Amino acid sequence: DTGATVSSIHAVNVVEFERDGEKWVKFDIAHAEGEPDMTVERKVIRYSNIRQSTSEDTVKRPVVKLNIRLGTIKESAEFTLADRGQMNYPVLLGREFLKDITLVDPGKQQIHPEFKPK
């Protein structure tokens, strides 16, 4: 999503806590139906004020660093944590992630082959 600055991932059961004087967050990432959720703990890098496209109000969300694979690209990126359960896609890749590693062609879809772990 070239309109979004920061990437976002579908996270539920988000709980903020402190570890060694730093802010951390624990959350669940839902996988495909029938697959168990993955519980993740990450240090909060910062907070981001997100404005929804349907509202002028902003929401403060924690930002964490996660590893991501997009086709043959493997990167570490910052993600805001959000309940994206009602969205079409559980992950939104923002322009901060896209800017140095890929070119967006709005005329093409699903150009990377599906990743199948061995």
Side-chain angles (χ1 to χ4, degrees):
D1 182 349
T2 57
T5 304
V6 183
S7 299
S8 181
I9 190 164
H10 177 54
V12 294
N13 304 322
V14 178
V15 177
E16 294 184 43
F17 64 96
E18 197 171 296
R19 178 179 285 163
D20 299 326
E22 297 181 311
K23 293 185 182 201
W24 280 65
V25 66
K26 179 179 179 178
F27 56 96
D28 293 332
I29 297 176
H31 288 289
E33 200 168 312
E35 298 280 325
D37 291 353
M38 178 191 311
T39 300
V40 179
E41 291 183 0
R42 289 289 186 275
K43 181 176 153 184
V44 175
I45 304 298
R46 61 186 169 83
Y47 288 87
S48 183
N49 289 316
I50 305 296
R51 184 175 11 92
Q52 301 287 39
S53 61
T54 57
S55 172
E56 289 298 314
D57 297 333
T58 59
V59 179
K60 185 177 168 182
R61 292 189 189 151
V63 178
V64 299
K65 197 161 254 197
L66 297 169
N67 295 325
I68 183 169
R69 176 185 289 232
L70 178 64
T72 58
I73 300 167
K74 294 183 209 174
E75 289 289 327
S76 180
E78 291 184 355
F79 286 86
T80 62
L81 305 179
D83 184 343
R84 297 183 54 81
Q86 302 304 315
M87 304 290 193
N88 290 335
Y89 301 103
V91 176
L92 177 146
L93 297 175
R95 64 180 177 263
E96 283 298 315
F97 171 75
L98 299 169
K99 73 179 180 181
D100 293 328
I101 62 168
T102 189
L103 177 67
V104 176
D105 184 343
K108 295 185 179 179
Q109 295 182 50
Q110 307 293 334
I111 62 170
H112 289 284
E114 182 179 347
F115 173 72
K116 296 181 182 177
K118 295 178 183 180

